[in-house]
Amino acid sequence: MTQTAPTSAAPTGAPRAPRRAGRIHRAWYAAAVGFVTIIGAAAFSSLPGLLIEPLHEEFDWSRGTIGFAVSVNLALYGLTAPFAAALMDRFGIRKVVALALTVIAGGSVATVWMTRPWQLVLYWGVLVGLGSGSMALAFAATVTNRWFTARRGLVTGILTAAGASGQLVFLPLLSWMVEHHGWRPAAVTVSLAALAVVPFVWLLLRDHPSDVGLAPYGGAYAPKPAPVPGAARRAVTVLFKAARTGPFWLLAGTFAICGASTNGLVKTHFVPAAHDHGMPVTAAAGLLAVIGVFDVVGTIASGWFTDRFEARRLLAVYYALRGVSLLFLPMLLAPSVHPPMVFFIVFYGLDWVATVPPTIALCREHYGEDSAIVFGWVLASHQVGAALVAFLGGVARDAFGSYDLVWYASGGLCAMAALMAMVIRRRPA
């Protein structure tokens, strides 16, 4: 892991001269801070599926109404991401992420005093959605692109897996709180977790390797680029430029289906769906946490595979396997946990966000220096797909009394995503 940057004298007032890295390159510390940050922020993504039944019982709000607030959260999470990547280029990673975590904390704690559905939409949908969209995967992509030249696929997998690790940490705790003490202490816990991460970001993370006189891991030393003005304009300009290419629409379409079949469906509706079949909420939440365990393994493995195999073929395999598993899920839901359900949880967990490293790799292959912003827009499609299914899943449950139709439809969409991935052309060398 040793990385040596070229040495040269620098005049007074010039950027810090490059220096020799330690035995462990500073890039790995940046990745570690990013990992802890995403784990701490994962608390907010663990809560929506646990809120549906308690809010329905306390306020008599329909599942469709609650699902709409979750869909606003997911949509803003995605639509904010490309602008966040551009803001990180303009103001730096630390400032953007610290502010985002503070907004998440404020929105989450404000829900404690809500009494109307519009307040849920404002606090959880808008504030938490904007805050979460300003970091998460866009944050992971930016850290990876700046600090690493080698091992990018592996690091992307590790940082993506951090969200699953956070789910593993927080989901059992939050489900226990909701069942024994109500949903309000759980909302306060989310707020405190977001605030606890802020000092790590502010004190330990640096925006660019040249800030500490180093080259990126596996690359040559380069001075820190000047801040890029017009963050919003740049994000939109990159979108229009990418939208003229075929790979962008195929990546956006496949990732929309990815969001629909994970965050929108399983993360939001698995717990209430299992509860419909008589399974206790804590048991269903525990199964989601187990998905998080195997998600860590699957995502890191996917990053390793992405460094070695063709990304579009990996995507096709991942989506095909996910679609098959979702088609079997309605037959597996029962009052208790049984071996076939455990097999589904393990299988689905390995595939949960394994799509992220090859998707980022394809963005990097086709769009170069703009890849983080392009991935932000691709992520926006992911969250729009998640938002639609979070809302429509609740509406379907209200209308048909079951989630079966939603599981089958999502399985079919995953088959379509597998075909779309294979159509993505390889960029000529």
Side-chain angles (χ1 to χ4, degrees):
M1 294 184 182
T2 302
Q3 178 67 33
T4 304
T7 56
S8 60
T12 304
R16 182 180 298 183
R19 62 181 177 83
R20 182 183 296 273
R23 294 185 63 184
I24 299 178
H25 195 285
R26 181 68 177 264
W28 295 104
Y29 293 114
V33 173
F35 189 88
V36 172
T37 301
I38 296 173
I39 284 179
F44 62 78
S45 65
S46 302
L47 193 56
L50 303 176
L51 289 178
I52 293 178
E53 291 300 324
L55 295 180
H56 173 69
E57 292 175 4
E58 178 171 339
F59 298 108
D60 199 29
W61 297 341
S62 72
R63 293 175 179 83
T65 298
I66 301 167
F68 175 72
V70 176
S71 72
V72 171
N73 174 290
L74 293 172
L76 286 178
Y77 177 108
L79 294 172
T80 306
F83 296 98
L87 286 172
M88 289 177 190
D89 286 343
R90 176 68 179 87
F91 298 105
I93 299 173
R94 290 193 305 165
K95 292 179 181 178
V96 173
V97 174
L99 178 60
L101 289 167
T102 304
V103 171
I104 290 170
S108 180
V109 77
T111 60
V112 171
W113 296 283
M114 69 182 178
T115 56
R116 297 288 187 271
W118 67 264
Q119 294 170 326
L120 177 64
V121 174
L122 174 62
Y123 301 149
W124 195 263
V126 176
L127 292 180
V128 176
L130 288 173
S132 59
S134 298
M135 43 174 301
L137 292 181
F139 169 55
T142 303
V143 169
T144 303
N145 288 348
R146 290 189 183 183
W147 281 92
F148 291 85
T149 299
R151 302 291 187 270
R152 280 177 168 174
L154 176 62
V155 175
T156 300
I158 292 172
L159 292 182
T160 304
S165 301
Q167 176 176 301
L168 171 65
V169 171
F170 288 105
L171 195 52
L173 172 63
L174 295 177
S175 64
W176 179 84
M177 284 186 173
V178 169
E179 184 162 323
H180 292 87
H181 301 286
W183 61 270
R184 288 178 175 83
V188 173
T189 300
V190 169
S191 179
L192 294 176
L195 286 177
V197 177
V198 174
F200 288 93
V201 174
W202 194 256
L203 297 176
L204 301 178
L205 187 62
R206 293 295 178 266
D207 292 326
H208 196 275
S210 62
D211 287 343
V212 288
L214 291 174
Y217 179 81
Y221 179 84
K224 183 176 181 178
V228 180
R233 182 174 65 251
R234 185 185 176 209
V236 174
T237 300
V238 170
L239 170 63
F240 280 109
K241 182 180 177 182
R244 293 195 292 268
T245 65
F248 173 79
W249 292 107
L250 291 169
L251 287 169
T254 56
F255 223 42
I257 293 172
C258 178
S261 56
T262 53
N263 291 6
L265 181 60
V266 175
K267 184 170 282 188
T268 303
H269 293 293
F270 178 81
V271 171
H275 189 60
D276 283 347
H277 287 77
M279 185 180 294
V281 171
T282 50
L287 289 176
L288 274 185
V290 174
I291 286 180
V293 175
F294 289 94
D295 181 18
V296 174
V297 177
T299 308
I300 294 176
S302 178
W304 188 85
F305 290 143
T306 302
D307 286 332
R308 289 161 176 79
F309 301 102
E310 191 176 350
R312 67 190 185 102
R313 295 184 185 276
L314 289 175
L315 282 182
V317 172
Y318 295 156
Y319 285 122
L321 293 176
R322 182 183 299 176
V324 171
S325 67
L326 286 173
L327 293 176
F328 280 97
L329 181 57
M331 296 178 280
L332 302 178
L333 292 169
S336 60
V337 179
H338 49 86
M341 173 59 78
V342 174
F343 178 80
F344 167 83
I345 293 297
V346 172
F347 187 87
Y348 195 84
L350 291 171
D351 197 291
W352 179 270
V353 287
T355 56
V356 173
T359 300
I360 291 179
L362 286 168
C363 287
R364 189 181 300 122
E365 174 186 335
H366 285 275
Y367 303 105
E369 293 182 354
D370 292 330
S371 62
I373 297 177
V374 172
F375 177 70
W377 285 112
V378 172
L379 177 61
S381 72
H382 179 282
Q383 295 306 113
V384 169
L388 286 173
V389 172
F391 172 61
L392 294 176
V395 171
R397 170 61 179 81
D398 289 334
F400 303 112
S402 126
Y403 285 100
D404 288 359
L405 178 63
V406 186
W407 302 122
Y408 294 134
S410 295
L413 287 174
C414 288
M416 184 185 303
L419 294 175
M420 293 169 66
M422 288 305 299
V423 176
I424 299 173
R425 61 178 174 82
R426 296 184 65 181
R427 185 175 182 180

